[in-house]
Each structure stands twice: as structure tokens, then as C-alpha cells.
């Protein structure tokens, strides 16, 4: 996909084929990332390259990303344009052994340089040809203090039809330059791979040998079976280069592998035929061994971290050290300086090598014990050549210790132990090997001391635990009695409060109904509305109390809608003002400009807001100010964590008062169920619990900020909704509810006969045909018949083993477009798939107004 802002990129990038390539490329899919994220230094340097007339390129970052202009692309031949935007060592494998170290050096030192007439074997147009280049490297400053890239300005000096003398001069210059390279270089000719040239680095890694005029097999007979002969033959036969990193090679006279980065590049003549092999690379032994040693130290730490026995720890460390260094023996023993003896419990030994377990008289093996007593680190390559061991060389060799290393363990100025590494033959200990041995010794000592300390601590803990056990048992018995008391108190608060409230409400309902019966019997029907209204009011208050309990348990059925919280607050202002009374000054609500919408049940949010305002009123018995404020909140990771929310965008609704405030211990318990500071009979302790449950169920949170004597602020945080706010249409009165069309039929499934009767009566009054079923099986039989069904109205909780959701799902097998309205007394989230309903399925919470039921049924059928 091309860059979107082509016009903006035009003056910076410049013209030409590669400039257009930059604009047309979707860099977001590449490891370099979108162009818009490139640093300014990269953009500026690339613009310079693309607008340069001659050959120019940019090698960017430690990966050496290759970016170049049109002239450079021509010089690349058939590797253009696929090489653009890729790591140079990856795409220019033929010249990377020369250029990559130079680029790395310029990036590291910041010093540019120029080279004239450098010959390089380069693959172009399907063959390798000899090219000559004059070029300069200049560092490019990055955004920070270091250098981020290298600018190449080059001129190709290749003379296609140069005279033989010029060719010989060029070859001589090329060999001179190769001689100066830090890596090893060799040139082989013919199918037998005869050495024509090697540089000093090649000789240094191989050791003194006669190269020129001899084949690889003659110079290196010891590498037979290691695969190098076969790789050379393959490169010569196929003309395909071979490259490898950290390739092991075992040379004569060495006890361990070396590791090399290796390149075999076929050399072709003017006719494209392979005539030889260019060999290049680097000795990476130190780097690879360093990585292997680092990995071994990680394994050592993992292995000994859980060990408790000092002897087991020492043996584990010895085995890792012995296997890594491929030595004869490694062990860890204690020293008696006065007796000049080494005491070894066990050690690690290679196959066929005897252990030193037991008591070893050190003086019998030379005078190196004196060095140990002086606290000296000992490293001996050849016991026969060291003055401390020459007299006992035969004895040492007889115990597979022709060379050895000793690392001392000193405690409080005393020599107490030694880590010894023995090898059966003469060995030149390398610096990285000695550093590895010292590090293993240090870690082993720490682990051994840790195990001893832990053993002492375990003994102490055993005594302490025995003393604590009795106290814990006594405490557990006391806590169990306390928990039982608190449980019974909580149950008493719940049942007492609910019984009090529901008895009052039921008295209002039953009393009103009894008076209606009396008045009808008396023929006095003029006052019936008053008793009907009283019964409805008590029933609605009972429904509200039920919703409070469900909100506290987060099981209420929510009907979330995109909501403008500012509009909701303004619509409740008069109600709040009347509720808090004249003694409280209600400040004009402060609504944030451009407040985001939130997806929430507006009626539940209204209840929560009203509850907060009532709590604020009760906190200001002598009067005060009440403030309501909304705001957009963008919570970063730290702020969101403090509020127990995920980072993101939220809408806050805060209610503040100038009341008595709350101490921290009250704030900590404010959301606990049944907790209240109000006098007995003035509150159930469910108000803030309901608000907390509602906020959590809506994906948000609620927090209290309070200070004694100053006041309290309670904030509800709700997630931002990215959709538009919908304007709700008013619910018509039942007398004005929309009428059914001819033949429209509704199936009502509910196990409560009264509910079925009321719903069916409303439906028939509105012109619908109502079919009733008392359970799921009965409803399903109707649905599987040929009867016309325009809508299924079903309770969620049904008897007989089939709930309402199962009835709806089974019905939709035969009637895939059937509309469904679930009616439920609480949020059966597991049945309703936690609110994720299929299209055409809706929920209505009991109790509901008959007007709302009629309007919802008409909307669903007409949809």
C-alpha cells in the first residue's frame, strides 16, 4: 500500500525511481516500521542519498539497513530493487565481509574514511565478476549522542577491457588490501582448491603451514570428516555461495573446537565459468565461547538454586565446569593448611579418570601448596615447565593433572577450600576459560554458604514453629468463633432489614387491595383510584428494594444504552432539589463540555445518582452545599491501577458535599454490604453496595474521597462509548399503546399463572392472539406446530429442566427469524450468555409497566 501523504513526502524524498519506490512502499509491513516513525536524521540522510547524482547509499542502524539511489541500483544489477530496505550483510553476501566490518567501525568510532580502487568480487547479472571501487564512508549523526548510520559515496572504477598489466596491478592491490583486513581471507583455484593466496589473519588462525600451491586437503588433513571439503566441492560445482556463522572446526593440536564465521564465494571468469573459491571469515571463538559460558552459568544457577546439601551443590558445579571445558577432573575440597592436605568427598571425572575423593597430601605434588597458603590464584599450563611442580611432574601426570587451575576460598582471612580443575595433557588456559572458572567458583561458594545458613535457619525455625503452633491453634479457635458471630450478625441485619421493609410494603399492597374489595362491596367505587395508586406505589418500592439487592450482588438485569450523562443530570436536577430539601444548597451541575457518551442503564444511573445525593444530604444535618460534576477522564496505567480499572477513557460523575466527612476506617468499609453509620431504622446499608455493584457490572468503578470536617466526594467512573447517544421515545399509556394487526399471535411461556394471565389480558386488549404455556416443554410443542407465532415472550427461569433460553434456541431451529422477548426477575447471566444475546432477542425486567410491555411487543413485531 503506498504512503498516504505523497505530496508531503515529495520535496523531502526527491525524484528518481528509488524516490518513487520509497513513496509507493508500505513500510509498516517491514522491520523498519512506518515511514512516519522514521527518525528525522534517517529521513534527511535518505533525501541526500536519493538526490545524489552519483552512486550513493545509506547503511542504517546496527542491522545496516541498505537504502540507495538509482545509480547504486544500477551498480547492484539483478539484486536491485529487492535489496532496497533489507540488511546489507543479508543481501550483499559477496561484499559484506569487506563492507560490514567497515560500516560497523564507522558506527562505533564516528570516524569516516575513504578507499580508492578497492577490488571486490561482486555477483551481478547471474555471475561473479571482479569490480574496482573508490568510495568513502561518513558517519551520520542520530537523534541522540551516537551515530545511527553510514553514508556511502562511491564511484565504480572497473575497467571491463583493461590490459593484462592493469589486471595484475589490480590483483596485487587487492591482495594488499585483503592482507590488511581483520578477517581471514584466502583464494583457491581449480576444482582441487589450490591455495593461490592467504592473508596473515588466515595464517594466524591456522598456525604456520605451507599454503601456496597446495590443496586444502593437503594443508588441512585434520579437518577430514568435518564437512569443509564437501562444502568447497559443492560451491565449485554449483556456483552457489555458502555462508555460515559460528561454524565449529577442530584443528590439529587443539583440545576444543574453534568457531568461525565462514564464506565460500565462487569466482567466475569472463565467460561465467567458476574458476576458484574466495574464502573469507572471522574467528568468533571468543564470542561463541562467551555465550556458551554465559548459558552454562545460567544452568548452574538454575541447578543449584534449590539444592540444600553443600556436597551436592559442589558436585553440580563441578560437572557443569568439567563438561563445558572438556577437562579430566573438577572438584571442590576443603584444605587443612597446617597438615597441607586436601579433603575431597566427591568430584567430577571424565571417563577413565580416577577420582581424588579422600585425603590428598598436597606437598607430595610439588611446592604449589605454598602459593595456596599465600592466597594466590594458580594456573599452570604444563607442570613440567613450572618451577612449583617440575619436581613432581611425573606424579601429577600420573593423576591426570599435567595442567591445572586452583581457585581458593578464603573465609575471615583463612584458606578453607579450593576449586580444582585438572587436565590430563598440557593445556594453554585461555583468559575466558579462567574467567569462567573463577565465576563458577564464586557462585558455588555463595550457594554453599547459603545452604549452610538455610540449614541453621531451618533448625531455628523448627523450634520457633513449635512455639507458635499452640498460639496459632488458640487463635484459630478464637477467630472461628468471631467469624460465626459476624456471619450471624450479617444475616440478622439482612433478614431484619428486609423483613421490616417488605412487611411495610406488603401492608400497603394488601391493605389497599382489601379496601378495594370493601368499597366494591359497598358500591363506593369513586375512591378506588386512591387505593390502586397506594398499592402500585408500595409494589414499585418493593421492586426498587429488590433491584438494590440485585445491584449489591451484581445480578440485576441491566438495559445499557448510549447515554449523555450531562443530559441525565440536568433532567434530574428538580427531583434532586426536592429530595434534598431547602436546607441544602444544590449548586448548578457542572457538566463537562464535549462530554463523551457512556454505555449504561440510564435508570440505574439515575437511582445511583439519587442515592448519592441522599447520602450527601444525610451527611449535612445542619445544611451545606451539594455539587454534581461530570468530566472526561483519560486514565494512564498508574492512575487506572489506583482505581482498579483498565487504562483507557472514562466518564466520571462526582457528587460532593460539605458535610462531616468520613475517617479512613469508615471509607474502607463504606461499600461493604449492610454497613451503615446511620441510626437503626434509617438505612439498610445497601445503598453504596448497590452503587458499587452497578458500577462494576457496567465495566466501571466507584471511589470515595473524604476528609473529616471538610466533606466527601463520591465518583462513579464509566467506560467511554464510541457510538452516538440515542434519544429515547416516551412510553405511551396503555390506552394509547399501538394496536395489533390482524392475526398477529404471541406465545407467552411462564410458570406463574398470574403473570401469564396479566400478560395475556394486555395482549388481547391490544388485539393480539395470546397462546399460553406453563413450562418450556409446553411452549416448545406450540412452537413446533404449524401455528402462527410472531413473537415468543418467555420467562428465563422455567420448571421441567428447560429454561427460557433453551426454548428460544430450540424454537429458532425451525423458526430462524423468530423474535424473542425474555422476561426475568433477575439477571440470569449464565442463561443469557452474560448479556451476549443473538440478534432479535431482547430482555425486559420484572416488574414492568404494562405500557412498557405493550410498546416493546409492538416494536419487536414491527422490526
Amino acid at each position: 500500500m503506498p504512503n498516504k501523504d505523497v505530496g508531503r513526502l515529495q520535496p523531502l524524498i526527491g525524484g528518481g525511481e528509488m524516490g518513487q519506490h520509497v513513496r509507493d512502499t508500505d513500510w509498516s509491513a517491514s522491520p523498519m516500521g512506518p515511514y512516519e516513525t522514521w527518525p528525522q536524521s534517517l529521513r534527511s540522510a535518505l533525501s541526500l542519498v536519493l538526490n545524489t547524482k552519483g552512486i550513493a547509499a545509506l547503511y542504517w542502524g546496527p542491522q545496516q539497513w541498505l537504502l540507495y539511489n538509482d545509480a547504486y541500483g544500477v551498480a547492484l544489477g539483478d539484486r536491485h530493487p529487492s535489496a532496497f530496505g533489507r540488511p546489507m550483510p543479508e543481501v550483499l553476501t559477496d561484499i559484506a565481509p569487506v563492507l560490514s566490518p567497515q560500516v560497523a567501525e564507522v558506527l562505533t568510532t564516528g570516524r569516516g574514511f575513504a578507499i580508492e580502487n578497492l577490488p571486490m568480487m561482486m555477483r551481478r547479472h547471474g555471475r561473479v565478476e571482479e569490480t574496482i571501487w573508490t568510495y568513502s564512508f561518513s558517519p551520520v549523526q542520530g537523534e541522540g549522542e551516537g551515530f545511527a548510520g553510514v553514508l556511502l559515496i562511491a564511484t565504480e572504477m572497473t575497467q571491463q577491457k583493461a590490459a593484462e598489466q592493469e589486471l595484475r596491478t589490480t590483483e596485487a592491490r587487492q591482495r594488499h588490501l585483503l592482507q590488511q583486513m581483520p578477517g581471514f581471507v584466502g583464494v583457491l583455484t581449480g576444482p582441487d582448491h589450490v591455495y593461490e593466496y592467504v592473508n596473515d589473519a588466515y595464517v594466524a588462525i591456522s598456525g604456520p603451514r605451507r599454503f601456496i600451491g597446495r590443496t586444502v586437503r593437503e594443508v588441512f588433513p585434520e579437518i577430514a570428516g568435518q564437512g569443509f571439503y564437501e562444502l568447497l566441492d559443492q560451491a565449485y560445482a554449483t556456483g552457489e555461495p555458502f555462508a555460515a556463522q559460528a561454524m565449529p572446526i577442530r584443528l590439529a593440536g587443539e583440545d576444543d573446537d574453534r568457531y568461525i564465521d565462514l564464506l565460500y564465494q565462487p569466482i567466475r571468469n569472463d565467460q561465467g565459468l567458476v574458476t576458484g573459491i574466495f574464502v573469507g571469515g572471522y574467528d568468533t571463538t571468543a564470542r561463541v565461547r562467551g555465550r556458551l559460558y554465559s548459558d552454562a552459568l545460567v544452568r548452574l544457577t538454575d541447578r543449584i538454586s534449590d539444592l540444600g546439601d553443600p556436597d551436592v551443590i559442589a558436585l553440580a558445579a563441578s560437572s557443569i565446569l568439567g563438561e563445558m571445558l572438556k577437562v579430566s577432573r573438577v572438584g571442590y575440597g576443603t584444605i587443612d593448611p597446617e597438615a597441607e592436605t586436601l579433603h575431597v568427598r566427591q568430584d567430577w571425572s571424565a571417563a577413565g579418570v580416577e577420582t581424588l575423593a579422600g585425603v590428598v597430601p598436597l606437598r607430595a605434588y610439588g611446592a604449589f601448596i605454598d602459593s595456596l597458603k599465600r592466597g594466590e590464584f594458580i594456573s599452570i599450563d604444563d607442570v613440567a615447565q613450572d618451577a612449583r611442580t617440575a619436581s613432581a611432574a611425573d606424579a601429577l601426570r600420573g593423576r591426570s593433572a599435567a595442567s591445572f587451575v586452583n581457585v581458593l576460598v578464603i573465609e575471615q582471612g583463612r584458606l578453607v577450600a579450593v576449586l580444582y580443575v585438572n587436565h590430563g595433557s598440557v593445556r594453554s588456559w585461555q583468559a575466558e576459560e579462567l574467567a569462567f572458572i573463577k565465576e563458577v567458583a564464586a557462585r558455588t561458594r555463595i550457594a554453599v554458604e547459603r545452604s549452610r545458613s538455610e540449614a541453621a535457619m531451618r533448625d531455628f525455625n523448627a523450634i520457633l514453629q513449635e512455639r507458635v503452633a499452640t498460639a496459632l491453634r488458640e487463635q484459630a479457635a478464637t477467630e472461628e468463633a468471631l467469624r460465626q458471630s459476624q456471619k450471624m450478625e450479617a444475616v440478622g441485619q439482612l433478614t431484619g432489614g428486609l423483613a421490616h421493609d417488605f412487611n411495610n410494603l406488603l401492608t400497603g399492597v394488601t391493605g389497599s387491595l382489601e379496601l378495594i374489595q370493601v368499597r366494591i362491596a359497598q358500591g363506593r367505587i369513586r375512591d378506588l383510584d386512591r387505593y390502586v395508586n397506594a398499592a402500585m406505589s408500595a409494589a414499585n418500592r418493593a421492586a426498587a428494594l429488590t433491584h438494590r439487592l440485585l445491584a449489591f450482588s451484581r445480578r440485576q438485569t441491566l438495559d445499557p444504552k448510549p447515554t449523555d450523562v450531562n443530559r441525565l443530570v440536568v433532567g434530574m436536577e428538580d427531583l434532586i432539589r426536592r429530595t434534598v430539601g431547602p436546607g441544602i444548597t444544590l449548586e448548578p451541575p457542572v457538566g463537562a463540555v464535549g462530554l463523551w457518551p457512556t454505555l449504561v442503564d440510564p435508570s440505574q444511573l439515575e437511582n445511583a445518582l439519587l442515592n448519592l445525593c441522599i447520602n450527601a444530604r444525610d451527611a449535612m444535618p445542619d445544611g451545606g452545599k451539594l455539587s454534581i460534576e461530570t468530566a472526561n477522564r483519560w486514565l494512564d496505567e498508574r492512575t487506572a491501577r489506583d482505581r482498579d480499572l483498565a487504562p483507557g477513557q472514562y466518564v466520571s460523575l462526582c457528587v460532593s458535599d460539605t458535610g462531616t466527612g468520613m475517617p479512613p476506617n469508615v471509607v474502607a468499609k463504606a461499600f461493604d454490604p449492610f454497613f451503615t453509620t446511620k441510626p437503626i431504622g434509617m438505612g439498610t446499608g445497601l445503598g453504596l453496595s448497590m452503587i458499587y455493584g452497578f458500577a462494576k457490572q457496567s465495566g466501571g468503578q466507584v471511589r470515595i474521597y473524604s476528609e473529616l470536617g471538610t466533606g466527601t466526594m463520591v465518583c462513579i467512573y464509566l467506560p467511554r462509548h464510541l457510538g452516538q447517544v440515542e434519544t429515547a421515545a416516551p412510553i405511551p399509556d396503555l390506552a394509547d399503546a399501538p394496536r395489533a394487526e390482524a392475526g398477529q399471535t404471541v406465545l407467552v411461556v411462564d410458570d406463574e399463572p398470574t403473570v401469564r394471565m396479566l400478560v395475556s389480558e394486555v395482549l388481547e386488549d391490544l388485539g393480539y392472539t395470546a397462546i399460553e404455556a406453563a413450562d418450556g416443554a409446553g411452549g416448545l410443542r406450540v412452537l413446533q406446530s404449524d401455528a402462527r407465532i410472531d413473537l415468543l415472550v418467555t420467562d428465563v427461569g422455567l420448571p421441567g429442566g428447560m429454561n427460557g433460553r433453551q426454548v428460544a434456541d430450540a424454537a429458532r431451529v425451525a423458526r430462524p427469524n423468530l423474535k424473542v422477548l425474555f422476561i426475568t426477575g433477575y439477571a440470569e447471566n449464565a442463561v443469557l450468555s452474560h448479556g451476549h444475546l443473538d440478534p432479535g432477542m431482547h430482555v425486559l425486567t420484572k416488574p414492568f409497566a404494562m405500557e412498557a410491555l405493550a410498546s416493546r411487543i409492538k416494536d419487536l413485531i414491527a422490526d
Side-chain angles (χ1 to χ4, degrees):
M1 183 184 295
N3 287 304
K4 297 178 179 178
D5 197 357
V6 176
R8 181 174 60 81
L9 298 177
Q10 180 71 33
L12 177 60
I13 294 177
E17 173 191 346
M18 299 317 298
Q20 189 63 40
H21 180 73
V22 173
R23 289 188 290 273
D24 291 344
T25 299
D26 180 10
W27 292 100
S28 62
S30 76
M32 294 185 68
Y35 178 88
E36 290 78 9
T37 65
W38 291 7
Q40 186 58 47
S41 55
L42 171 56
R43 299 188 193 187
S44 300
L46 177 58
S47 179
L48 175 63
V49 167
L50 294 176
N51 288 285
T52 299
K53 296 301 182 184
I55 297 175
L58 184 65
Y59 307 112
W60 195 259
Q63 297 88 355
Q64 301 181 11
W65 303 107
L66 177 58
L67 307 167
Y68 51 82
N69 64 358
D70 293 352
Y72 191 101
V74 173
L76 282 180
D78 54 4
R79 284 182 287 190
H80 167 72
S82 61
F84 192 90
R86 296 173 61 192
M88 181 266 285
E90 177 184 310
V91 295
L92 304 183
T93 56
D94 47 353
I95 60 176
V98 177
L99 298 184
S100 185
Q102 295 174 344
V103 171
E105 182 177 359
V106 174
L107 281 172
T108 302
T109 65
R111 294 192 297 269
F113 65 92
I115 291 182
E116 293 184 0
N117 298 324
L118 174 66
M120 285 192 291
M121 304 305 298
M122 187 171 177
R123 179 175 59 81
R124 293 191 294 192
H125 309 297
R127 63 190 182 90
V128 174
E129 60 185 76
E130 185 178 84
T131 61
I132 302 175
W133 296 89
T134 294
Y135 61 93
S136 65
F137 279 154
S138 301
V140 177
Q141 181 75 40
E143 269 65 25
E145 296 180 359
F147 296 96
V150 176
L151 174 66
L152 166 73
I153 302 297
T155 303
E156 183 171 2
M157 307 298 294
T158 306
Q159 299 295 325
Q160 295 290 336
K161 300 184 187 275
E164 290 183 3
Q165 184 58 41
E166 276 187 0
L167 182 58
R168 285 195 295 269
T169 302
T170 302
E171 291 175 349
R173 185 181 299 116
Q174 178 187 25
R175 294 187 178 187
H176 175 72
L177 291 173
L178 292 176
Q179 187 65 36
Q180 307 304 314
M181 289 183 60
F184 61 83
V185 173
V187 178
L188 308 174
T189 61
D192 294 331
H193 317 304
V194 177
Y195 280 99
E196 186 178 85
Y197 171 78
V198 293
N199 66 354
D200 289 345
Y202 204 107
V203 176
I205 190 174
S206 304
R209 302 173 191 244
R210 187 164 60 87
F211 289 96
I212 307 305
R214 303 180 68 203
T215 67
V216 170
R217 287 175 169 82
E218 292 172 335
V219 175
F220 292 102
E222 70 270 27
I223 66 173
Q226 298 184 38
F228 294 95
Y229 301 158
E230 293 78 7
L231 291 171
L232 280 170
D233 293 340
Q234 181 180 353
Y236 192 92
T238 64
E240 294 294 328
F242 170 80
Q245 293 183 334
M247 192 170 184
I249 182 172
R250 179 70 65 89
L251 298 178
E254 297 187 351
D255 296 320
D256 204 354
D257 289 339
R258 286 179 178 266
Y259 296 90
I260 56 175
D261 288 352
L262 181 65
L263 170 68
Y264 287 158
Q265 180 65 57
I267 302 172
R268 299 178 184 270
N269 59 17
D270 292 341
Q271 289 74 42
L273 300 177
V274 176
T275 60
I277 301 291
F278 174 86
V279 180
Y282 296 91
D283 184 353
T284 59
T285 303
R287 184 188 72 202
V288 174
R289 286 181 180 170
R291 186 178 68 249
L292 294 175
Y293 292 156
S294 177
D295 294 343
L297 290 173
V298 172
R299 293 199 307 275
L300 171 65
T301 301
D302 290 342
R303 186 182 298 183
I304 67 178
S305 60
D306 297 327
L307 298 179
D309 188 325
D311 293 332
V312 176
I313 292 173
L315 182 61
S318 299
S319 63
I320 287 180
L321 196 54
E323 291 165 0
M324 278 299 302
L325 297 179
K326 297 180 176 61
V327 293
S328 300
R329 182 192 302 110
V330 181
Y332 189 87
T334 58
I335 282 190
D336 183 341
E338 287 74 22
E340 298 184 341
T341 54
L342 175 68
H343 297 258
V344 179
R345 288 182 178 273
Q346 55 186 341
D347 56 17
W348 176 90
S349 299
V353 178
E354 66 172 337
T355 179
L356 292 185
V359 179
V360 180
L362 296 178
R363 184 65 69 177
Y365 297 99
F368 71 91
I369 179 59
D370 298 326
S371 297
L372 292 177
K373 289 181 176 181
R374 291 192 296 270
E376 298 174 358
F377 172 78
I378 299 177
S379 171
I380 297 177
D381 295 347
D382 184 352
V383 294
Q385 301 300 319
D386 192 284
R388 294 168 292 183
T389 55
S391 61
D394 290 340
L396 287 166
R397 284 194 291 260
R399 304 211 70 172
S400 301
S403 59
F404 64 86
V405 176
N406 285 341
V407 184
L408 305 180
V409 177
I410 307 295
E411 293 181 0
Q412 298 180 347
R414 288 185 66 252
L415 171 63
V416 296
V418 62
L419 174 70
Y420 57 87
V421 179
N422 301 160
H423 196 50
S425 59
V426 174
R427 179 166 179 154
S428 178
W429 301 101
Q430 302 300 310
E432 62 269 19
E433 293 176 330
L434 298 177
F436 178 58
I437 293 171
K438 290 179 180 178
E439 182 63 25
V440 171
R443 297 192 184 199
T444 303
R445 175 189 174 188
I446 292 172
V448 168
E449 291 307 309
R450 183 211 71 219
S451 69
R452 290 173 179 165
S453 299
E454 289 176 349
M457 184 61 69
R458 283 194 297 270
D459 294 339
F460 175 77
N461 285 341
I463 298 173
L464 183 61
Q465 288 172 358
E466 182 63 29
R467 294 177 180 176
V468 170
T470 303
L472 289 178
R473 286 191 293 270
E474 294 174 355
Q475 181 181 355
T478 303
E479 289 177 350
E480 179 60 28
L482 178 60
R483 280 194 295 270
Q484 184 66 20
S485 173
Q486 291 174 334
K487 184 190 301 182
M488 296 308 297
E489 180 182 356
V491 171
Q493 289 179 356
L494 174 62
T495 56
L498 292 181
H500 175 272
D501 288 350
F502 269 106
N503 283 335
N504 286 340
L505 297 171
L506 289 173
T507 299
V509 174
T510 58
S512 296
L513 292 176
E514 287 176 4
L515 286 175
I516 290 173
Q517 286 179 325
V518 171
R519 294 294 180 262
I520 291 175
Q522 295 172 345
R524 296 168 55 186
I525 61 175
R526 197 178 309 172
D527 296 331
L528 293 183
D529 284 347
R530 184 165 48 136
Y531 303 126
V532 170
N533 291 336
M536 287 295 296
S537 175
N540 287 335
R541 287 166 58 201
L545 181 57
T546 303
H547 277 292
R548 278 191 176 190
L549 288 170
L550 293 175
F552 148 65
S553 63
R554 292 189 234 170
R555 293 180 61 83
Q556 63 180 332
T557 301
L558 298 182
D559 187 14
K561 297 181 177 64
T563 302
D564 183 341
V565 179
N566 278 343
R567 186 186 304 165
L568 181 144
V569 172
V570 170
M572 291 190 65
E573 185 175 356
D574 289 341
L575 175 61
I576 293 171
R577 195 178 305 277
R578 290 195 304 271
T579 301
V580 299
I584 305 298
T585 301
L586 177 61
E587 299 284 347
V590 180
V593 177
L595 186 69
W596 299 323
T598 182
L599 189 64
V600 70
D601 187 325
S603 63
Q604 295 298 331
L605 184 57
E606 289 174 348
N607 289 338
L609 176 58
L610 188 59
N611 264 292
L612 291 179
C613 293
I614 292 173
N615 285 347
R617 178 201 65 189
D618 295 343
M620 298 183 288
D622 300 325
K625 292 183 180 180
L626 175 65
S627 304
I628 303 173
E629 183 178 358
T630 63
N632 293 327
R633 306 282 187 181
W634 194 311
L635 303 185
D636 58 22
E637 185 172 350
R638 181 184 64 81
T639 308
R641 185 169 57 249
D642 292 341
R643 289 163 174 77
D644 192 22
L645 288 167
Q649 296 174 321
Y650 293 84
V651 173
S652 67
L653 172 61
C654 299
V655 176
S656 305
D657 64 63
T658 58
T660 57
M662 293 183 282
N665 63 317
V666 173
V667 172
K669 298 179 180 179
F671 296 124
D672 291 351
F674 321 122
F675 178 80
T676 179
T677 59
K678 298 177 181 179
I680 296 176
M682 296 294 291
T684 63
L686 290 176
L688 285 177
S689 294
M690 177 272 289
I691 296 171
Y692 178 82
F694 157 69
K696 291 290 287 183
Q697 193 175 356
S698 301
Q701 185 57 275
V702 58
R703 284 290 180 265
I704 299 176
Y705 311 93
S706 187
E707 185 175 344
L708 274 176
T710 301
T712 300
M713 179 173 69
V714 182
C715 290
I716 301 174
Y717 298 91
L718 299 168
R720 178 187 181 182
H721 177 63
L722 298 178
Q724 298 297 318
V725 174
E726 300 175 359
T727 302
I731 299 176
D733 291 337
L734 186 57
D736 300 327
R739 319 307 292 179
E741 297 178 3
Q744 289 185 326
T745 303
V746 178
L747 171 62
V748 181
V749 184
D750 199 302
D751 61 314
E752 178 58 48
T754 303
V755 174
R756 290 201 310 274
M757 181 268 291
L758 290 173
V759 173
S760 297
E761 289 284 342
V762 171
L763 289 170
E764 291 174 355
D765 286 347
L766 297 176
Y768 294 97
T769 299
I771 302 176
E772 296 183 25
D775 54 29
L780 191 57
R781 283 194 294 272
V782 176
L783 289 164
Q784 291 174 341
S785 70
D786 295 332
R788 172 179 176 176
I789 303 295
D790 296 282
L791 174 67
L792 167 65
V793 177
T794 177
D795 193 2
V796 176
L798 294 173
M802 177 176 285
N803 60 48
R805 179 58 188 264
Q806 292 170 329
V807 171
D809 291 340
R812 282 198 165 186
V813 174
R815 301 172 185 255
N817 298 320
L818 178 66
K819 305 293 180 56
V820 181
L821 176 61
F822 294 108
I823 54 176
T824 176
Y826 66 98
E828 293 143 313
N829 281 337
V831 174
L832 297 180
S833 301
H834 302 279
H836 301 291
L837 298 176
D838 295 338
M841 291 185 177
H842 301 268
V843 179
L844 186 63
T845 306
K846 298 176 183 177
F848 44 77
M850 293 300 143
E851 297 91 337
L853 173 65
S855 180
R856 181 69 70 91
I857 289 174
K858 182 64 178 179
D859 290 342
L860 292 178
I861 294 178
D863 186 11

